[in-house]
Amino acid sequence: MIYYVDAASFRDGDGSQARPFKHINDAARIAVAGDEIVVKPGIYREHVVPKNAGTKDAPIVYRSAEPLGAVITGAEKAAGWEKVKGSIWKFTVDNSIFGDYNPYTTIVYGDWYFSPNIRHTGCLFLNDRMMYETNTLKDCQDGVVDSFAWDDEGSQYLWFTEQKEDKTVIYGNFRKLDPNKENVEFTVRRNCFMPKVNHINYITVSGFNINKAATTWAPPAAYQDGMIGPHWSMGWIIEDCEIYGSRCCGISLGKYLDVENDMYFTKKQVKSPTQMERDAVCRGQYHGWLKEKIGHHIVRRCHVHHNEQTGIVGRMGAVFSTIEDCDIHDNCTSAQLGGAETAGIKLHAGIDVTIRRNHIHHNIMGVWLDWEAQGARVSQNVMHDNCRPEGKKQAQGAMFSTDVFIEVGHGPTLVDNNLLLSPVSITIPSEGIAVVHNLILGSFSLINSGVDSIVNNQREPRYTPYHIRHRTEVAGFMTILHGDDRIYNNIFVQQHKITDKKKTAQDADYQVVGTGPFDIFPTPKEWNDQFDFSKNPDMGGLAEAHFGHLPVWIEGNAYFNGATVYKKEKNKLVNKAAKITVSLSEKNGDYFLKTNLAKELGDFTDGIISTEILGKAFEPEQRFENPDGTDIIFDRDLLGNHRGTSTIPGPLAELSAKEMPVWKALKI
């Protein structure tokens, strides 16, 4: 059955082509497996709530008749502004419009939220750009540039809210603009497209512009809100959509509501927030967190930008999912919110998740895989400028910046064939990481650091789970021993300036490029020799070995401009004479790489890397392999081109002195 929706139709219809529905929700209430909802261009100010599930063979498909022509928004027009003084205007609305959820009395707060500023889940938009909330009306009137915001000019467009009787009053500083002549909207609805119950499976959402919602903070051990998301189900496809303007998260692939463990630390404060994470994993097992019931989503060819917490978030619900061919940028760059859940993509328990062929840039952080990135793969992505602009300081409560952050995981986790061009490229307070065939202009950071805390003068280990191979069931818990990393066939270039020589690789913002920080780790032979019972049969003497660093495998890398080198690496190229330059340029949305690496690599080659060479991650005893258990042979480069029998380091099978295309603009 095909149902039609047209906001411009004369009156409510029956969903036929001759008499279409005016609202998408009318179709969402009755559509069943195999049905398609075709939505004509127009603005749909509603929260679409799918009622029924599709099936794997017969999904329910929601399709914009024209790419991005159908707009689903959580905002309403803000009309009838009154001039107050200078550039300050006032807008008043009766609270009845909000129903049981008023975004202008609901604050952004919760577990892992660190900002000292009071921010509401509601927001004001001027010509589709989110304005900046202030702490006081005076701050709104003063119109001072926010020194922490990445966009100086944008941060001068301000708003403030207060309650008077049963009304919400919003003040706006529009500078020289008249809000009655501009497109001004305020968020009213919490979500744009999301079921209200779990297990509404196999839904496809294709070609929509989804924007402006009053979402709530989405910490990992709580219900995770988003403008659009499957709400704890399986088999969703979100494709060819533009998704922007969420107060917190754009797409949520995340956690269900567990009333006994929802914002537990914030509400009760009797257990540590890390313990709540462990509880969430174990309770999830009881509540049906299984491969057969959850995850397997696809997010593809989406433009995800200007969301205030994350572009894509997910705790446990994103397992076995794929995020591919997306342009993800300018997420958490206003410095309006602060906390430990901010990035372009932020996933907890990204078991067998694939993040590939994306352009991820100008976010506070590119990809953050927190806990249990077991079987996760970050591959063929172009990442750059995931860092604060030069001269911008870190706001109170804000996170540090990096391209890829893999936190307290036991692996196996793969980072391969990427351009990692930000000042910090890979942050790994983890173990069991393989870094293969990347071009790396930034540092490794939080090496042998960032895991355990010192409380009451004693070490408090952060035990995290690992799982049955390619499943969600927990196999065990362990703290991070550090090491167990494989670093093969990468190019390291010290291009960014070193401005603070006191920093070490234990710092999040370390500035020195290269594998030198891994000197503290043993080779495989050195580590294995500890367990040679023919030399020392005393099992009781192995405590130091059992809790010491794991070995690392580092071979086939090329180092330029003074990048540091692991002292035990044998097959390598260290070129101290050449001055390597790497630049990325943009033309009409396409991106091009230019470098002189081709000449300076000379005839240096290395071998093809495979699952067999990488072996198994120590704690889960799982190979670096595909989610279906098959081997990976790294014979394809960043663009999918085939590598020959002898390969060069880095993400490209061939290098040229000319500009090389590395990203084509999305054509939605």
Short mmCIF file of all heavy atoms in Angstrom, two decimals, residues 172-217:
data_model
loop_
_atom_site.label_atom_id
_atom_site.label_comp_id
_atom_site.label_asym_id
_atom_site.label_seq_id
_atom_site.Cartn_x
_atom_site.Cartn_y
_atom_site.Cartn_z
N GLY A 172 15.23 38.38 22.32
CA GLY A 172 16.23 38.14 21.31
C GLY A 172 17.02 39.38 20.97
O GLY A 172 16.46 40.48 20.85
N ASN A 173 18.33 39.21 20.85
CA ASN A 173 19.19 40.29 20.36
C ASN A 173 19.51 39.98 18.90
O ASN A 173 20.33 39.11 18.60
CB ASN A 173 20.47 40.37 21.19
CG ASN A 173 21.33 41.56 20.80
OD1 ASN A 173 21.25 42.08 19.69
ND2 ASN A 173 22.18 42.01 21.73
N PHE A 174 18.83 40.69 18.00
CA PHE A 174 18.96 40.44 16.57
C PHE A 174 19.90 41.43 15.89
O PHE A 174 19.91 41.55 14.67
CB PHE A 174 17.58 40.48 15.91
CG PHE A 174 16.65 39.41 16.41
CD1 PHE A 174 15.75 39.67 17.44
CD2 PHE A 174 16.69 38.14 15.87
CE1 PHE A 174 14.90 38.68 17.91
CE2 PHE A 174 15.85 37.15 16.33
CZ PHE A 174 14.94 37.41 17.36
N ARG A 175 20.64 42.18 16.70
CA ARG A 175 21.56 43.19 16.20
C ARG A 175 20.82 44.15 15.27
O ARG A 175 19.87 44.81 15.68
CB ARG A 175 22.75 42.52 15.55
CG ARG A 175 23.52 41.57 16.50
CD ARG A 175 24.70 40.89 15.85
NE ARG A 175 25.76 41.86 15.57
CZ ARG A 175 26.80 41.60 14.81
NH1 ARG A 175 26.91 40.41 14.22
NH2 ARG A 175 27.74 42.52 14.62
N LYS A 176 21.16 44.23 14.02
CA LYS A 176 20.55 45.21 13.12
C LYS A 176 19.32 44.66 12.39
O LYS A 176 18.70 45.38 11.60
CB LYS A 176 21.57 45.68 12.10
CG LYS A 176 22.76 46.43 12.71
CD LYS A 176 23.75 46.86 11.64
CE LYS A 176 24.92 47.61 12.25
NZ LYS A 176 25.91 48.04 11.21
N LEU A 177 18.95 43.42 12.66
CA LEU A 177 17.85 42.79 11.94
C LEU A 177 16.52 43.00 12.66
O LEU A 177 16.46 43.09 13.89
CB LEU A 177 18.12 41.30 11.77
CG LEU A 177 19.37 40.92 10.97
CD1 LEU A 177 19.52 39.41 10.93
CD2 LEU A 177 19.32 41.51 9.56
N ASP A 178 15.47 43.02 11.88
CA ASP A 178 14.10 43.09 12.40
C ASP A 178 13.53 41.67 12.37
O ASP A 178 13.31 41.11 11.29
CB ASP A 178 13.26 44.03 11.53
CG ASP A 178 11.83 44.16 12.01
OD1 ASP A 178 11.38 43.33 12.84
OD2 ASP A 178 11.13 45.08 11.53
N PRO A 179 13.27 41.04 13.52
CA PRO A 179 12.82 39.65 13.53
C PRO A 179 11.48 39.45 12.84
O PRO A 179 11.18 38.33 12.40
CB PRO A 179 12.74 39.31 15.02
CG PRO A 179 12.60 40.62 15.72
CD PRO A 179 13.38 41.59 14.89
N ASN A 180 10.69 40.51 12.74
CA ASN A 180 9.40 40.38 12.04
C ASN A 180 9.57 40.32 10.52
O ASN A 180 8.62 40.03 9.80
CB ASN A 180 8.48 41.53 12.43
CG ASN A 180 8.05 41.44 13.88
OD1 ASN A 180 7.66 40.38 14.36
ND2 ASN A 180 8.15 42.55 14.60
N LYS A 181 10.79 40.59 10.05
CA LYS A 181 11.06 40.52 8.61
C LYS A 181 11.96 39.33 8.26
O LYS A 181 12.31 39.14 7.09
CB LYS A 181 11.71 41.81 8.14
CG LYS A 181 10.81 43.04 8.29
CD LYS A 181 11.52 44.30 7.81
CE LYS A 181 10.63 45.53 7.97
NZ LYS A 181 11.34 46.78 7.54
N GLU A 182 12.39 38.59 9.29
CA GLU A 182 13.28 37.44 9.08
C GLU A 182 12.54 36.15 9.42
O GLU A 182 11.44 36.16 9.97
CB GLU A 182 14.53 37.57 9.97
CG GLU A 182 15.27 38.89 9.84
CD GLU A 182 15.91 39.09 8.47
OE1 GLU A 182 16.25 38.08 7.80
OE2 GLU A 182 16.08 40.26 8.07
N ASN A 183 13.17 35.03 9.08
CA ASN A 183 12.62 33.73 9.43
C ASN A 183 13.09 33.36 10.83
O ASN A 183 14.22 32.90 11.02
CB ASN A 183 13.06 32.67 8.42
CG ASN A 183 12.55 31.28 8.78
OD1 ASN A 183 11.53 31.14 9.45
ND2 ASN A 183 13.26 30.26 8.34
N VAL A 184 12.24 33.59 11.82
CA VAL A 184 12.57 33.29 13.21
C VAL A 184 11.66 32.17 13.70
O VAL A 184 10.44 32.25 13.57
CB VAL A 184 12.43 34.53 14.11
CG1 VAL A 184 12.82 34.18 15.56
CG2 VAL A 184 13.29 35.67 13.59
N GLU A 185 12.27 31.13 14.26
CA GLU A 185 11.52 29.98 14.75
C GLU A 185 12.00 29.63 16.15
O GLU A 185 13.13 29.92 16.52
CB GLU A 185 11.71 28.77 13.83
CG GLU A 185 11.18 28.98 12.42
CD GLU A 185 11.56 27.84 11.50
OE1 GLU A 185 12.74 27.78 11.09
OE2 GLU A 185 10.70 26.99 11.20
N PHE A 186 11.13 29.00 16.93
CA PHE A 186 11.51 28.52 18.26
C PHE A 186 11.09 27.06 18.38
O PHE A 186 10.04 26.65 17.88
CB PHE A 186 10.91 29.39 19.36
CG PHE A 186 9.41 29.29 19.51
CD1 PHE A 186 8.85 28.73 20.66
CD2 PHE A 186 8.55 29.76 18.52
CE1 PHE A 186 7.47 28.65 20.81
CE2 PHE A 186 7.17 29.69 18.66
CZ PHE A 186 6.63 29.13 19.81
N THR A 187 11.93 26.24 19.03
CA THR A 187 11.63 24.82 19.12
C THR A 187 10.54 24.57 20.15
O THR A 187 10.54 25.14 21.24
CB THR A 187 12.89 24.01 19.47
OG1 THR A 187 13.56 24.63 20.56
CG2 THR A 187 13.83 23.94 18.29
N VAL A 188 9.64 23.70 19.76
CA VAL A 188 8.47 23.36 20.57
C VAL A 188 8.45 21.87 20.91
O VAL A 188 8.17 21.48 22.03
CB VAL A 188 7.17 23.77 19.85
CG1 VAL A 188 5.95 23.26 20.60
CG2 VAL A 188 7.12 25.27 19.66
N ARG A 189 8.75 21.04 19.91
CA ARG A 189 8.66 19.59 20.09
C ARG A 189 10.02 18.99 20.44
O ARG A 189 11.05 19.45 19.96
CB ARG A 189 8.11 18.94 18.81
CG ARG A 189 6.62 19.20 18.62
CD ARG A 189 6.15 18.83 17.24
NE ARG A 189 6.66 19.76 16.23
CZ ARG A 189 6.15 20.96 15.97
NH1 ARG A 189 5.09 21.37 16.66
NH2 ARG A 189 6.65 21.74 15.05
N ARG A 190 9.98 17.95 21.22
CA ARG A 190 11.19 17.29 21.68
C ARG A 190 11.85 16.46 20.57
O ARG A 190 13.07 16.34 20.53
CB ARG A 190 10.84 16.39 22.88
CG ARG A 190 12.00 15.67 23.49
CD ARG A 190 11.56 15.01 24.80
NE ARG A 190 12.58 14.12 25.33
CZ ARG A 190 12.49 13.49 26.49
NH1 ARG A 190 11.43 13.70 27.26
NH2 ARG A 190 13.44 12.68 26.90
N ASN A 191 11.05 15.88 19.70
CA ASN A 191 11.56 15.03 18.63
C ASN A 191 10.87 15.34 17.32
O ASN A 191 9.81 15.97 17.30
CB ASN A 191 11.35 13.54 18.96
CG ASN A 191 11.79 13.16 20.36
OD1 ASN A 191 10.97 12.96 21.25
ND2 ASN A 191 13.09 13.08 20.56
N CYS A 192 11.47 14.89 16.23
CA CYS A 192 10.87 15.06 14.90
C CYS A 192 10.37 13.74 14.32
O CYS A 192 9.31 13.70 13.69
CB CYS A 192 11.89 15.67 13.93
SG CYS A 192 12.39 17.34 14.35
N PHE A 193 11.15 12.68 14.51
CA PHE A 193 10.76 11.38 13.95
C PHE A 193 11.30 10.29 14.86
O PHE A 193 12.46 9.91 14.77
CB PHE A 193 11.33 11.22 12.53
CG PHE A 193 10.69 10.12 11.72
CD1 PHE A 193 9.98 10.43 10.57
CD2 PHE A 193 10.79 8.79 12.09
CE1 PHE A 193 9.39 9.43 9.81
CE2 PHE A 193 10.20 7.79 11.35
CZ PHE A 193 9.50 8.10 10.21
N MET A 194 10.47 9.81 15.77
CA MET A 194 10.93 8.80 16.72
C MET A 194 9.73 8.09 17.35
O MET A 194 8.78 8.74 17.77
CB MET A 194 11.79 9.43 17.81
CG MET A 194 12.37 8.41 18.79
SD MET A 194 13.51 9.16 19.99
CE MET A 194 14.99 9.29 18.99
N PRO A 195 9.76 6.76 17.40
CA PRO A 195 8.69 6.04 18.09
C PRO A 195 8.70 6.36 19.58
O PRO A 195 9.72 6.75 20.14
CB PRO A 195 9.04 4.57 17.85
CG PRO A 195 10.03 4.55 16.75
CD PRO A 195 10.76 5.85 16.82
N LYS A 196 7.57 6.14 20.23
CA LYS A 196 7.48 6.34 21.67
C LYS A 196 7.67 5.05 22.45
O LYS A 196 7.75 5.07 23.67
CB LYS A 196 6.14 6.99 22.03
CG LYS A 196 6.03 8.43 21.55
CD LYS A 196 4.80 9.12 22.09
CE LYS A 196 4.78 10.59 21.69
NZ LYS A 196 3.57 11.30 22.20
N VAL A 197 7.70 3.93 21.73
CA VAL A 197 7.90 2.63 22.39
C VAL A 197 9.06 1.92 21.70
O VAL A 197 9.49 2.29 20.60
CB VAL A 197 6.63 1.76 22.34
CG1 VAL A 197 5.50 2.44 23.10
CG2 VAL A 197 6.21 1.49 20.90
N ASN A 198 9.56 0.89 22.32
CA ASN A 198 10.67 0.12 21.78
C ASN A 198 10.20 -0.86 20.70
O ASN A 198 9.02 -1.17 20.58
CB ASN A 198 11.35 -0.68 22.90
CG ASN A 198 11.89 0.20 24.00
OD1 ASN A 198 12.16 1.37 23.79
ND2 ASN A 198 12.05 -0.37 25.19
N HIS A 199 11.16 -1.33 19.91
CA HIS A 199 10.98 -2.43 18.98
C HIS A 199 10.01 -2.12 17.83
O HIS A 199 9.28 -2.99 17.37
CB HIS A 199 10.53 -3.70 19.72
CG HIS A 199 11.46 -4.09 20.84
ND1 HIS A 199 12.79 -4.37 20.64
CD2 HIS A 199 11.23 -4.19 22.18
CE1 HIS A 199 13.35 -4.66 21.81
NE2 HIS A 199 12.44 -4.54 22.76
N ILE A 200 10.04 -0.88 17.37
CA ILE A 200 9.37 -0.55 16.11
C ILE A 200 10.43 -0.75 15.02
O ILE A 200 11.13 0.17 14.64
CB ILE A 200 8.81 0.88 16.12
CG1 ILE A 200 7.87 1.07 17.32
CG2 ILE A 200 8.07 1.19 14.82
CD1 ILE A 200 6.65 0.15 17.30
N ASN A 201 10.55 -1.97 14.56
CA ASN A 201 11.67 -2.40 13.73
C ASN A 201 11.46 -2.08 12.26
O ASN A 201 10.34 -1.87 11.79
CB ASN A 201 11.89 -3.90 13.89
CG ASN A 201 12.18 -4.31 15.33
OD1 ASN A 201 12.77 -3.54 16.09
ND2 ASN A 201 11.77 -5.50 15.70
N TYR A 202 12.57 -2.07 11.54
CA TYR A 202 12.61 -2.03 10.08
C TYR A 202 11.79 -0.88 9.50
O TYR A 202 10.77 -1.07 8.83
CB TYR A 202 12.17 -3.38 9.50
CG TYR A 202 13.13 -4.48 9.88
CD1 TYR A 202 12.79 -5.43 10.84
CD2 TYR A 202 14.40 -4.53 9.31
CE1 TYR A 202 13.69 -6.43 11.21
CE2 TYR A 202 15.31 -5.51 9.67
CZ TYR A 202 14.95 -6.45 10.62
OH TYR A 202 15.85 -7.42 10.98
N ILE A 203 12.27 0.31 9.77
CA ILE A 203 11.72 1.54 9.23
C ILE A 203 12.79 2.18 8.35
O ILE A 203 13.96 2.27 8.75
CB ILE A 203 11.31 2.52 10.34
CG1 ILE A 203 10.28 1.90 11.29
CG2 ILE A 203 10.79 3.83 9.75
CD1 ILE A 203 8.92 1.67 10.70
N THR A 204 12.42 2.66 7.18
CA THR A 204 13.33 3.40 6.31
C THR A 204 12.84 4.84 6.20
O THR A 204 11.66 5.08 5.93
CB THR A 204 13.42 2.78 4.91
OG1 THR A 204 14.02 1.48 5.02
CG2 THR A 204 14.26 3.62 3.97
N VAL A 205 13.75 5.79 6.42
CA VAL A 205 13.44 7.22 6.31
C VAL A 205 14.38 7.78 5.26
O VAL A 205 15.59 7.81 5.45
CB VAL A 205 13.62 7.94 7.66
CG1 VAL A 205 13.25 9.41 7.54
CG2 VAL A 205 12.80 7.26 8.76
N SER A 206 13.82 8.26 4.16
CA SER A 206 14.65 8.58 2.99
C SER A 206 14.35 9.97 2.44
O SER A 206 13.21 10.29 2.10
CB SER A 206 14.40 7.53 1.89
OG SER A 206 15.21 7.75 0.79
N GLY A 207 15.40 10.81 2.40
CA GLY A 207 15.34 12.05 1.65
C GLY A 207 14.73 13.24 2.34
O GLY A 207 14.42 14.25 1.68
N PHE A 208 14.59 13.23 3.66
CA PHE A 208 13.94 14.32 4.38
C PHE A 208 14.95 15.34 4.92
O PHE A 208 16.11 15.01 5.20
CB PHE A 208 13.13 13.78 5.57
CG PHE A 208 11.91 13.01 5.17
CD1 PHE A 208 11.99 11.65 4.91
CD2 PHE A 208 10.69 13.64 5.06
CE1 PHE A 208 10.87 10.93 4.55
CE2 PHE A 208 9.55 12.93 4.70
CZ PHE A 208 9.65 11.57 4.43
N ASN A 209 14.49 16.57 5.07
CA ASN A 209 15.19 17.58 5.86
C ASN A 209 14.56 17.54 7.25
O ASN A 209 13.37 17.84 7.41
CB ASN A 209 15.01 18.96 5.21
CG ASN A 209 15.73 20.07 5.96
OD1 ASN A 209 15.84 20.03 7.18
ND2 ASN A 209 16.19 21.07 5.25
N ILE A 210 15.36 17.17 8.24
CA ILE A 210 14.87 17.00 9.61
C ILE A 210 15.64 17.97 10.49
O ILE A 210 16.87 17.89 10.59
CB ILE A 210 15.05 15.55 10.08
CG1 ILE A 210 14.21 14.61 9.19
CG2 ILE A 210 14.67 15.39 11.54
CD1 ILE A 210 14.48 13.14 9.42
N ASN A 211 14.92 18.91 11.12
CA ASN A 211 15.65 19.96 11.82
C ASN A 211 14.91 20.51 13.02
O ASN A 211 13.71 20.37 13.17
CB ASN A 211 15.99 21.09 10.84
CG ASN A 211 14.78 21.81 10.29
OD1 ASN A 211 13.96 22.33 11.05
ND2 ASN A 211 14.65 21.86 8.97
N LYS A 212 15.68 21.12 13.92
CA LYS A 212 15.21 21.98 15.01
C LYS A 212 14.29 21.24 15.99
O LYS A 212 13.07 21.30 15.88
CB LYS A 212 14.49 23.21 14.47
CG LYS A 212 15.28 24.02 13.45
CD LYS A 212 14.51 25.28 13.05
CE LYS A 212 15.13 25.99 11.88
NZ LYS A 212 14.82 25.37 10.58
N ALA A 213 14.90 20.60 16.99
CA ALA A 213 14.11 19.94 18.03
C ALA A 213 14.69 20.24 19.39
O ALA A 213 15.90 20.46 19.54
CB ALA A 213 14.05 18.44 17.79
N ALA A 214 13.82 20.21 20.40
CA ALA A 214 14.20 20.53 21.78
C ALA A 214 14.58 19.25 22.51
O ALA A 214 13.98 18.87 23.52
CB ALA A 214 13.05 21.24 22.48
N THR A 215 15.61 18.58 22.01
CA THR A 215 16.04 17.32 22.58
C THR A 215 16.72 17.51 23.93
O THR A 215 17.24 18.58 24.25
CB THR A 215 17.02 16.62 21.63
OG1 THR A 215 18.03 17.57 21.24
CG2 THR A 215 16.32 16.12 20.38
N THR A 216 16.74 16.44 24.72
CA THR A 216 17.36 16.47 26.03
C THR A 216 18.76 15.87 25.96
O THR A 216 19.13 15.19 25.01
CB THR A 216 16.52 15.68 27.05
OG1 THR A 216 16.37 14.33 26.59
CG2 THR A 216 15.13 16.30 27.20
N TRP A 217 19.56 16.15 27.01
CA TRP A 217 20.91 15.60 27.11
C TRP A 217 20.86 14.08 27.06
O TRP A 217 19.97 13.45 27.65
CB TRP A 217 21.53 16.09 28.41
CG TRP A 217 22.95 15.68 28.65
CD1 TRP A 217 23.39 14.79 29.59
CD2 TRP A 217 24.11 16.17 27.98
NE1 TRP A 217 24.77 14.70 29.54
CE2 TRP A 217 25.24 15.53 28.55
CE3 TRP A 217 24.32 17.08 26.95
CZ2 TRP A 217 26.54 15.78 28.13
CZ3 TRP A 217 25.62 17.34 26.52
CH2 TRP A 217 26.71 16.69 27.11
#
